Amino acid sequence: ELSKQAIGQFRFFEKQMNRTIYEKIHMERELRKALEAEEFELHYQPQIQLQTGKVIGIEALIRWKHREKGMISPNAFIPIAEETGFIISINEWVMETACRQTKLLLHQYPSLSVSINLSPCEFESRKLIYKLAKILEKTDFPPHCLDIEITERMTMDTEKAIPILKELKNVGVNVSIDDFGTGYSSLSYLKKLPIDRLKIDRSFVQNVQKEEEAILPAIITLGHNIGVKVLAEGVETELEAAYLKEKQCDEVQGYYYTRPLPYGELVQFLDQHKQQASAIIS
Ligand code: C2E
Ligand code: MG
Ligand code: MG
Ligand code: MG
């Protein structure tokens, strides 16, 4: 997925780990210019229900289509955007674009849901709920078709997290815990969190045949015991998919089904998939 150019770019950003204040200012300026020049774009990765094979959702993943450097992966600029706080502006664009583009699909796929990723500083921002409500209104988007992905780490301070999660529930959106299993959740507090879904980190899926085999079914059971759906991320092989189905995992996402797709290709994917699903039923 990454072009040579993008890998070069990634190294370029990596070298900035020891960023000076000037470098940060420079990077923020670059990101600001990119936003203004409409160089960001969303790709969407379908999420599939294992029992039916139906596409039940899509995850919006940002890409930077740089005028000279080509496609830049979010891992190369999200951390910098988080450091400078500019992520707030970027993600406002992400939320609005994801709602606007998904809205166009809802006529044909009324139960489709779109997931967006939140950064820690946004999750804690006092304006989050206000902005979210405003975007939902502006795009006339049904809140129950929006899924907010937060990471386990963002929920660690439960006294802070629970009120925010409750407010999100009041707005009517769903919440998923992303990269689940990589943080240090205590299982006892997990059930106190008003969430809808756990997204098991790819690292557990990769190890289905190895020594960590016991972890994956344990997480699936844990999720079901606390009454939430469980999605496995980064499914790359038929074997992994079959294993997850056998272990009653609800949903999957990964290269085995498809990579994240530009909007136009997503529309085609949904269309083909709909025909396939109806062919199976009839
Ligand atoms: P994430 O939310 O955990 O997203 C999953 C990542 O795994 C995506 O990388 C996706 O392309 C990749 N992936 C999906 N299936 C497979 C697979 O089968 N195998 C492998 N090896 N990888 C797979 P991507 O798009 O590069 O995004 C990386 C991370 O950047 C995301 O991790 C998320 O944390 C962050 N990110 C992406 N878009 C946004 C955004 O709009 N806002 C914020 N705040 N963060 C974002
Ligand atoms: Mg995610
Ligand atoms: Mg993830
Ligand atoms: Mg991740």
Side-chain angles (χ1 to χ4, degrees):
E1 194 180 14
L2 284 177
S3 66
K4 264 190 187 146
Q5 244 180 343
I7 290 165
Q9 182 69 13
F10 183 68
R11 293 220 183 90
F12 166 76
F13 283 117
E14 243 181 358
K15 278 189 207 139
Q16 316 271 317
M17 290 310 267
N18 265 323
R19 284 180 288 273
T20 65
I21 182 89
Y22 300 105
E23 284 168 332
K24 279 193 204 170
I25 290 168
H26 171 73
M27 283 309 307
E28 176 163 344
R29 194 182 297 141
E30 287 295 296
L31 290 168
R32 193 178 293 279
K33 273 200 278 184
L35 195 57
E36 278 163 13
E38 296 178 27
E39 288 181 353
F40 292 115
E41 143 181 332
L42 292 182
H43 286 194
Y44 294 94
Q45 189 174 40
Q47 303 173 332
I48 287 129
Q49 188 174 46
L50 269 172
Q51 279 307 319
T52 60
K54 273 169 65 176
V55 179
I56 44 98
I58 50 179
E59 178 175 4
L61 295 155
I62 197 170
R63 303 287 180 263
W64 180 359
K65 236 176 169 174
H66 196 282
R67 56 205 175 283
E68 288 145 23
K69 292 159 192 156
M71 200 67 98
I72 305 175
S73 128
N75 290 323
F77 65 88
I78 294 281
I80 299 160
E82 284 177 347
E83 253 183 80
T84 64
F86 194 61
I87 188 69
I88 305 256
S89 305
I90 293 177
N91 249 51
E92 234 175 280
W93 177 87
V94 171
M95 277 194 236
E96 184 169 337
T97 306
C99 288
R100 199 164 33 73
Q101 293 191 318
T102 307
K103 170 85 185 180
L104 302 173
L105 301 169
L106 291 180
H107 305 282
Q108 237 191 317
Y109 310 96
S111 56
L112 195 73
S113 139
V114 66
S115 302
I116 55 167
N117 294 279
L118 278 199
S119 293
C121 60
E122 291 179 270
F123 183 63
E124 286 168 20
S125 155
R126 290 218 189 103
K127 293 188 185 135
L128 171 69
I129 303 296
Y130 163 77
K131 276 189 193 160
L132 188 61
K134 210 171 82 176
I135 289 170
L136 288 168
E137 199 191 316
K138 183 175 170 189
T139 56
D140 190 24
F141 195 80
H144 67 275
C145 293
L146 182 63
D147 173 60
I148 304 286
E149 294 192 9
I150 57 170
T151 60
E152 216 176 334
R153 273 164 216 280
M154 284 148 72
T155 64
M156 301 298 248
D157 184 347
T158 41
E159 267 178 47
K160 244 190 194 167
I162 290 175
I164 305 172
L165 291 170
K166 282 186 177 158
E167 283 190 88
L168 286 170
K169 295 271 88 184
N170 280 339
V171 175
V173 299
N174 293 303
V175 178
S176 296
I177 309 278
D178 203 0
D179 306 332
F180 186 77
T182 58
Y184 306 89
S185 305
S186 99
L187 304 181
S188 59
Y189 90 64
L190 197 60
K191 65 169 184 274
K192 291 188 205 149
L193 300 177
I195 54 162
D196 303 279
R197 181 165 72 168
L198 299 180
K199 294 189 75 180
I200 307 178
D201 192 69
R202 185 167 71 89
S203 56
F204 298 100
V205 177
Q206 284 176 314
N207 289 316
V208 289
Q209 290 171 297
K210 301 196 194 119
E211 73 279 8
E212 281 125 282
E213 194 180 357
I215 297 177
L216 196 53
I219 298 179
I220 296 168
T221 307
L222 165 75
H224 291 162
N225 285 345
I226 62 166
V228 303
K229 289 249 156 44
V230 180
L231 179 146
E233 287 194 286
V235 177
E236 291 185 355
T237 67
E238 192 179 351
L239 190 101
E240 290 165 358
Y243 178 86
L244 288 159
K245 194 172 179 184
E246 186 203 312
K247 297 296 177 194
Q248 320 279 314
C249 185
D250 303 290
E251 297 155 8
V252 279
Q253 197 181 328
Y255 294 170
Y256 175 61
Y257 301 94
T258 172
R259 285 172 179 262
L261 303 166
Y263 186 76
E265 287 177 41
L266 170 76
V267 173
Q268 283 175 8
F269 182 92
L270 290 175
D271 206 42
Q272 282 167 4
H273 219 81
K274 198 179 189 181
Q275 277 166 13
Q276 272 173 21
S278 55
I280 293 165
I281 292 160
S282 58

